[in-house]
Amino acid sequence: MSDAANKRYRAENKIRFVTATTLFDGHDASINIFRRILQSLGAEVVHLGHSRSGIDIVDAAIEEDAHAIAVTSYQGGHMEFYKYLHDLLAERDATHIRIFGGGGGTILPSEGEELQKQGITRIYSPDDGRQMSLVGMVEDMLSRSGFPRGQLAEDFDLSSLRADRPAVVAELISAAENYSDKYPDILDEVERRASESSAPVIGITGTGGSGK
């Protein structure tokens, strides 16, 4: 990718994407290209790989405090799968997370339009690729996902910081990342508690690209 392409778009806020292919779908060449372009334009990407379930994808997006999910589907069943992703996010009070998708000629333009009416942010078609280019589609994804994360509510209560509340943990990580000067008391208290805890340290290994 040329330096000129890299300079075309820069987000004002840090943006985090979760990328994957749909369950039972091993066609991951497309999503791998998109994740590389996302990274080249400054986004952080948590890549889950191919054949991932809706719960896998949504749980990862919430735990990483992601701005968006990008999922390709070439295996069929896309109408149900994308809607399922949307429903899972709604159940977890995480509808701020954008959903992007595509599947070449597998997803008809009319189906993409129907999914967008049901709350999916954007389904890209082959015509979009021809008109916008790959980089143009990624720029569009970033422009729709550039909202800030990590701004805590005025009544934020540290008692909500528990192992069974991954969204709260992720929100605090974003607060530390983006607004460390705005919440020094809260973040200092989190650090103090961490230093006093006896939490286990877990090492994770695996092959390159496995999403460790």
Side-chain angles (χ1 to χ4, degrees), residues 100 120 169 184:
F100 299 95
I120 310 308
V169 178

Side-chain angles (χ1 to χ4, degrees), residues 81-160:
F81 195 91
Y82 286 112
K83 183 62 166 59
Y84 181 51
L85 289 178
H86 183 272
D87 291 346
L88 286 173
L89 289 173
E91 289 173 7
R92 290 159 172 76
D93 193 27
T95 53
H96 62 277
I97 298 176
R98 310 290 195 254
I99 302 174
F100 299 95
T106 306
I107 304 176
L108 298 175
S110 59
E111 292 178 323
E113 293 173 3
E114 179 62 28
L115 286 168
Q116 287 165 191
K117 290 177 182 178
Q118 295 180 11
I120 310 308
T121 308
R122 182 77 184 262
I123 298 293
Y124 297 97
S125 69
D127 284 341
D128 290 326
R130 285 189 286 269
Q131 295 169 10
M132 303 168 69
S133 79
L134 293 175
V135 173
M137 287 191 287
V138 172
E139 287 179 331
D140 184 60
M141 291 161 62
L142 291 170
S143 69
R144 295 167 182 262
S145 309
F147 51 91
R149 293 293 298 161
Q151 297 191 59
L152 304 179
E154 292 184 5
D155 59 349
F156 179 82
D157 185 358
L158 267 175
S159 65
S160 62

